[in-house]
Amino acid sequence: MAPVFSHGDLRLYLLNLLDEAPRHGYDLMRAIEERSNGMWSPSPGSIYPTLQSLEDEGLVTFESVDGRKTASVTDAGLEWLATHSAEADAVFAQQEGDSKAMA
């Protein structure tokens, strides 16, 4: 059975990845696919609206880097991550468990 990922999972993934380093949308899609061992490949139609929502909430900010719109997590985004760390741990543990079960 394939894992089920929700909109909230995507938010957690994006913020965690942006906590590591600023990234553009395509880089975020590739990173999620790699970290989920190919089990989850979010589409541009899910990544970009979620990034826009995160920007609207003040959790990420964008700047142009080498001609690409690159997202970075804000201080408010880091605070949000800290208050949702249990959720993030659960999502990543589920993803790791699903990856092992599929192996």
Side-chain angles (χ1 to χ4, degrees), residues 25 34 45 48 50-52 68 71 73 75 81 91 93 100 102:
E34 287 171 12
Y48 293 108
T50 303
L51 285 171
Q52 183 61 56
R68 298 196 89 147
V73 68
D75 289 341
L81 273 173
V91 167
K100 289 176 186 172
M102 298 293 285

Side-chain angles (χ1 to χ4, degrees), residues 14-68:
L14 294 176
L15 287 170
N16 272 291
L17 289 168
L18 293 173
D19 184 27
E20 294 173 4
R23 300 172 188 251
H24 54 81
Y26 180 70
D27 187 36
L28 289 163
M29 287 184 275
R30 282 190 334 203
I32 291 170
E33 184 173 14
E34 287 171 12
R35 291 185 187 200
S36 69
N37 295 318
M39 293 174 39
W40 186 23
S41 181
S43 69
S46 61
I47 291 284
Y48 293 108
T50 303
L51 285 171
Q52 183 61 56
S53 176
L54 292 170
E55 182 184 36
D56 292 346
E57 295 173 45
L59 303 179
V60 301
T61 187
F62 289 97
E63 64 180 298
S64 181
V65 176
D66 297 327
R68 298 196 89 147

